[in-house]
mmCIF file of all heavy atoms in Angstrom:
data_model
loop_
_atom_site.group_PDB
_atom_site.id
_atom_site.type_symbol
_atom_site.label_atom_id
_atom_site.label_comp_id
_atom_site.label_asym_id
_atom_site.label_seq_id
_atom_site.Cartn_x
_atom_site.Cartn_y
_atom_site.Cartn_z
ATOM 1 N N THR A 445 -11.376 7.559 -16.147
ATOM 2 C CA THR A 445 -11.640 6.649 -17.251
ATOM 3 C C THR A 445 -11.772 5.236 -16.683
ATOM 4 O O THR A 445 -11.586 5.021 -15.478
ATOM 5 C CB THR A 445 -10.502 6.672 -18.283
ATOM 6 O OG1 THR A 445 -9.343 6.078 -17.692
ATOM 7 C CG2 THR A 445 -10.191 8.090 -18.736
ATOM 8 N N ALA A 446 -12.036 4.286 -17.560
ATOM 9 C CA ALA A 446 -12.170 2.899 -17.107
ATOM 10 C C ALA A 446 -10.902 2.413 -16.403
ATOM 11 O O ALA A 446 -10.960 1.532 -15.540
ATOM 12 C CB ALA A 446 -12.492 2.009 -18.297
ATOM 13 N N ALA A 447 -9.770 2.975 -16.753
ATOM 14 C CA ALA A 447 -8.497 2.575 -16.144
ATOM 15 C C ALA A 447 -8.419 2.941 -14.666
ATOM 16 O O ALA A 447 -7.544 2.460 -13.946
ATOM 17 C CB ALA A 447 -7.332 3.219 -16.893
ATOM 18 N N ASP A 448 -9.329 3.787 -14.229
ATOM 19 C CA ASP A 448 -9.347 4.165 -12.814
ATOM 20 C C ASP A 448 -10.242 3.248 -11.988
ATOM 21 O O ASP A 448 -10.366 3.427 -10.769
ATOM 22 C CB ASP A 448 -9.821 5.617 -12.669
ATOM 23 C CG ASP A 448 -8.863 6.614 -13.287
ATOM 24 O OD1 ASP A 448 -7.653 6.524 -12.973
ATOM 25 O OD2 ASP A 448 -9.306 7.455 -14.092
ATOM 26 N N THR A 449 -10.856 2.274 -12.629
ATOM 27 C CA THR A 449 -11.645 1.281 -11.903
ATOM 28 C C THR A 449 -10.722 0.461 -11.006
ATOM 29 O O THR A 449 -9.743 -0.118 -11.483
ATOM 30 C CB THR A 449 -12.372 0.343 -12.877
ATOM 31 O OG1 THR A 449 -13.365 1.093 -13.597
ATOM 32 C CG2 THR A 449 -13.045 -0.813 -12.140
ATOM 33 N N ALA A 450 -11.028 0.442 -9.717
ATOM 34 C CA ALA A 450 -10.123 -0.212 -8.771
ATOM 35 C C ALA A 450 -10.756 -0.276 -7.385
ATOM 36 O O ALA A 450 -11.769 0.385 -7.127
ATOM 37 C CB ALA A 450 -8.802 0.560 -8.679
ATOM 38 N N VAL A 451 -10.140 -1.056 -6.519
ATOM 39 C CA VAL A 451 -10.425 -0.972 -5.090
ATOM 40 C C VAL A 451 -9.531 0.130 -4.541
ATOM 41 O O VAL A 451 -8.312 0.103 -4.759
ATOM 42 C CB VAL A 451 -10.145 -2.297 -4.361
ATOM 43 C CG1 VAL A 451 -10.337 -2.119 -2.858
ATOM 44 C CG2 VAL A 451 -11.053 -3.393 -4.895
ATOM 45 N N TYR A 452 -10.131 1.087 -3.880
ATOM 46 C CA TYR A 452 -9.389 2.200 -3.299
ATOM 47 C C TYR A 452 -9.271 1.997 -1.796
ATOM 48 O O TYR A 452 -10.268 1.777 -1.105
ATOM 49 C CB TYR A 452 -10.086 3.523 -3.616
ATOM 50 C CG TYR A 452 -9.890 3.951 -5.047
ATOM 51 C CD1 TYR A 452 -10.597 3.336 -6.081
ATOM 52 C CD2 TYR A 452 -8.981 4.957 -5.382
ATOM 53 C CE1 TYR A 452 -10.399 3.709 -7.411
ATOM 54 C CE2 TYR A 452 -8.778 5.342 -6.703
ATOM 55 C CZ TYR A 452 -9.490 4.704 -7.704
ATOM 56 O OH TYR A 452 -9.285 5.066 -9.016
ATOM 57 N N TYR A 453 -8.034 2.062 -1.315
ATOM 58 C CA TYR A 453 -7.749 1.910 0.108
ATOM 59 C C TYR A 453 -7.226 3.219 0.688
ATOM 60 O O TYR A 453 -6.452 3.928 0.024
ATOM 61 C CB TYR A 453 -6.669 0.850 0.346
ATOM 62 C CG TYR A 453 -7.008 -0.565 -0.049
ATOM 63 C CD1 TYR A 453 -6.554 -1.099 -1.253
ATOM 64 C CD2 TYR A 453 -7.741 -1.393 0.802
ATOM 65 C CE1 TYR A 453 -6.833 -2.411 -1.600
ATOM 66 C CE2 TYR A 453 -8.022 -2.715 0.463
ATOM 67 C CZ TYR A 453 -7.563 -3.200 -0.749
ATOM 68 O OH TYR A 453 -7.836 -4.516 -1.090
ATOM 69 N N CYS A 454 -7.603 3.496 1.924
ATOM 70 C CA CYS A 454 -6.913 4.537 2.667
ATOM 71 C C CYS A 454 -6.051 3.839 3.717
ATOM 72 O O CYS A 454 -6.350 2.718 4.145
ATOM 73 C CB CYS A 454 -7.879 5.531 3.304
ATOM 74 S SG CYS A 454 -9.098 4.843 4.449
ATOM 75 N N ALA A 455 -4.964 4.485 4.108
ATOM 76 C CA ALA A 455 -4.022 3.848 5.015
ATOM 77 C C ALA A 455 -3.234 4.886 5.807
ATOM 78 O O ALA A 455 -3.136 6.044 5.404
ATOM 79 C CB ALA A 455 -3.057 2.957 4.230
ATOM 80 N N ARG A 456 -2.666 4.448 6.927
ATOM 81 C CA ARG A 456 -1.786 5.285 7.714
ATOM 82 C C ARG A 456 -0.340 4.934 7.378
ATOM 83 O O ARG A 456 0.017 3.753 7.323
ATOM 84 C CB ARG A 456 -2.022 5.072 9.224
ATOM 85 C CG ARG A 456 -1.232 6.028 10.102
ATOM 86 C CD ARG A 456 -1.542 5.826 11.568
ATOM 87 N NE ARG A 456 -0.893 4.644 12.137
ATOM 88 C CZ ARG A 456 -0.875 4.364 13.431
ATOM 89 N NH1 ARG A 456 -1.504 5.158 14.289
ATOM 90 N NH2 ARG A 456 -0.257 3.278 13.884
ATOM 91 N N ARG A 457 0.477 5.962 7.140
ATOM 92 C CA ARG A 457 1.870 5.738 6.766
ATOM 93 C C ARG A 457 2.788 5.962 7.954
ATOM 94 O O ARG A 457 2.714 6.991 8.622
ATOM 95 C CB ARG A 457 2.262 6.693 5.631
ATOM 96 C CG ARG A 457 3.525 6.320 4.904
ATOM 97 C CD ARG A 457 4.148 7.526 4.227
ATOM 98 N NE ARG A 457 4.999 8.266 5.164
ATOM 99 C CZ ARG A 457 5.709 9.332 4.837
ATOM 100 N NH1 ARG A 457 5.633 9.803 3.618
ATOM 101 N NH2 ARG A 457 6.458 9.941 5.722
ATOM 102 N N THR A 458 3.654 4.996 8.221
ATOM 103 C CA THR A 458 4.583 5.120 9.350
ATOM 104 C C THR A 458 6.035 5.307 8.906
ATOM 105 O O THR A 458 6.875 5.725 9.697
ATOM 106 C CB THR A 458 4.508 3.881 10.258
ATOM 107 O OG1 THR A 458 4.760 2.712 9.458
ATOM 108 C CG2 THR A 458 3.135 3.759 10.898
ATOM 109 N N SER A 459 6.326 4.993 7.681
ATOM 110 C CA SER A 459 7.656 5.217 7.122
ATOM 111 C C SER A 459 7.457 5.415 5.630
ATOM 112 O O SER A 459 6.334 5.311 5.133
ATOM 113 C CB SER A 459 8.572 4.026 7.402
ATOM 114 O OG SER A 459 9.866 4.252 6.884
ATOM 115 N N TRP A 460 8.521 5.663 4.905
ATOM 116 C CA TRP A 460 8.373 6.075 3.506
ATOM 117 C C TRP A 460 7.535 5.122 2.671
ATOM 118 O O TRP A 460 6.829 5.550 1.770
ATOM 119 C CB TRP A 460 9.736 6.292 2.875
ATOM 120 C CG TRP A 460 10.293 7.630 3.195
ATOM 121 C CD1 TRP A 460 11.370 7.911 3.980
ATOM 122 C CD2 TRP A 460 9.799 8.903 2.752
ATOM 123 N NE1 TRP A 460 11.557 9.274 4.047
ATOM 124 C CE2 TRP A 460 10.615 9.898 3.311
ATOM 125 C CE3 TRP A 460 8.716 9.283 1.938
ATOM 126 C CZ2 TRP A 460 10.406 11.254 3.072
ATOM 127 C CZ3 TRP A 460 8.492 10.633 1.704
ATOM 128 C CH2 TRP A 460 9.336 11.593 2.268
ATOM 129 N N CYS A 461 7.627 3.827 2.935
ATOM 130 C CA CYS A 461 6.816 2.881 2.163
ATOM 131 C C CYS A 461 6.083 1.922 3.089
ATOM 132 O O CYS A 461 5.708 0.838 2.668
ATOM 133 C CB CYS A 461 7.695 2.118 1.173
ATOM 134 S SG CYS A 461 6.852 1.737 -0.393
ATOM 135 N N ALA A 462 5.891 2.308 4.324
ATOM 136 C CA ALA A 462 5.245 1.444 5.307
ATOM 137 C C ALA A 462 3.880 1.982 5.695
ATOM 138 O O ALA A 462 3.780 3.049 6.297
ATOM 139 C CB ALA A 462 6.131 1.309 6.546
ATOM 140 N N PHE A 463 2.873 1.225 5.341
ATOM 141 C CA PHE A 463 1.492 1.579 5.664
ATOM 142 C C PHE A 463 0.977 0.530 6.644
ATOM 143 O O PHE A 463 0.751 -0.612 6.250
ATOM 144 C CB PHE A 463 0.641 1.620 4.396
ATOM 145 C CG PHE A 463 1.209 2.525 3.336
ATOM 146 C CD1 PHE A 463 1.996 2.022 2.319
ATOM 147 C CD2 PHE A 463 0.971 3.880 3.378
ATOM 148 C CE1 PHE A 463 2.523 2.853 1.346
ATOM 149 C CE2 PHE A 463 1.496 4.732 2.412
ATOM 150 C CZ PHE A 463 2.281 4.219 1.393
ATOM 151 N N ASP A 464 0.834 0.932 7.918
ATOM 152 C CA ASP A 464 0.602 -0.083 8.946
ATOM 153 C C ASP A 464 -0.874 -0.374 9.215
ATOM 154 O O ASP A 464 -1.198 -1.441 9.732
ATOM 155 C CB ASP A 464 1.307 0.297 10.257
ATOM 156 C CG ASP A 464 0.687 1.512 10.940
ATOM 157 O OD1 ASP A 464 0.124 2.380 10.233
ATOM 158 O OD2 ASP A 464 0.777 1.590 12.180
#
Side-chain angles (χ1 to χ4, degrees):
Chain A
T445 69
D448 295 310
T449 293
V451 175
Y452 285 76
Y453 296 100
C454 58
R456 186 177 77 171
R457 196 203 85 177
T458 56
S459 181
W460 278 112
C461 215
F463 306 96
D464 69 331

